[in-house]
Amino acid sequence: MRRIDVAALAVASLALVGALAGCAPEPAASGSPSPSATLVSPTPLETNKTNDSPSPTPTAEAAAKLPTDCKAILSSAVLAELKGVALNDAAFGPSGVQKDGSLICIWADPNADTTGLTTKISRMSRGPALQLLNDLVAKQGFTCYTPDGGTRCEKTWKDATYPVTDGRTVFWRADVLIDTTYSNLSPSGYTASIVAHVFG
């Protein structure tokens, strides 16, 4: 598979950016382009004035401080959609702030068969992030684009057991990785709300 930089990806995904930049981790809208067949490079973009095609440019942006509160990272609108859903129930294992400084947020009812979502916000440098995002595209058929100064890859699929939609959304920017998996629970604007809090 041919490796290209994020510039080519941004051109191919231009139509998708406007439709999805404010949504997450919702299932991809019908009519979305098929998963990218090219690999990505998580760097911000700048317009090339000679041919108007985007080209990657280095960034000196400092890594954001990792959050410590699962509710504080979400907007009031997203929290309203999660009203009544248990947060960080001990039945699901480790959650909250971890020893390495990462934050795990698990929104799920331990009595439910499948409905829930789990987000991990952690440090990841550019090299490992690039490898992860490329693997999501090349090996798992994720679609990637470049909203909010970062790189976002996402995919939805039908649950193997229940008649619901499962999915995963991964966002990387400035050495911070926001990784969410979900099943039958995808509040509108969830990932965008976290991004706005972490990098706002």
Side-chain angles (χ1 to χ4, degrees):
M1 181 172 293
R2 183 170 61 90
R3 178 179 294 269
I4 69 169
D5 63 21
V6 72
L9 173 66
V11 172
S13 303
L14 188 59
L16 180 63
V17 172
L20 293 180
C23 303
E26 302 168 310
S30 59
S32 297
S34 59
S36 172
T38 56
L39 304 185
V40 301
S41 175
T43 49
L45 299 177
E46 160 181 281
T47 301
N48 183 320
K49 296 186 178 4
T50 58
N51 59 16
D52 293 329
S53 62
S55 60
T57 184
T59 178
E61 179 182 22
K65 182 177 180 182
L66 295 182
T68 58
D69 187 320
C70 292
K71 289 185 176 180
I73 60 178
L74 301 175
S75 68
S76 57
V78 173
L79 287 172
E81 291 190 59
L82 291 169
K83 186 176 181 179
V85 180
L87 172 61
N88 294 341
D89 192 287
F92 297 108
S95 61
V97 178
Q98 303 300 294
K99 290 181 179 180
D100 63 358
S102 63
L103 178 66
I104 298 175
C105 304
I106 304 172
W107 294 89
D109 181 345
N111 297 313
D113 291 330
T114 185
T115 301
L117 68 83
T118 299
T119 296
K120 182 174 183 179
I121 305 172
S122 60
R123 297 273 182 217
M124 183 174 287
S125 60
R126 186 182 186 280
L130 178 59
Q131 182 64 53
L132 169 65
L133 299 177
N134 280 330
D135 285 348
L136 291 177
V137 173
K139 299 178 181 179
Q140 299 183 44
F142 276 61
T143 297
C144 297
Y145 58 108
T146 55
D148 303 317
T151 298
R152 174 170 168 163
C153 297
E154 56 191 21
K155 180 182 178 181
T156 61
W157 58 88
K158 294 298 181 185
D159 187 273
T161 304
Y162 302 97
V164 300
T165 298
D166 296 346
R168 183 180 180 190
T169 299
V170 179
F171 181 91
W172 182 89
R173 172 178 162 185
D175 293 346
V176 175
L177 185 76
I178 302 168
D179 191 346
T180 299
T181 56
Y182 58 96
S183 178
N184 196 38
L185 182 63
S186 56
S188 177
Y190 180 85
T191 296
S193 179
I194 297 174
V195 170
H197 176 86
V198 172
F199 298 101

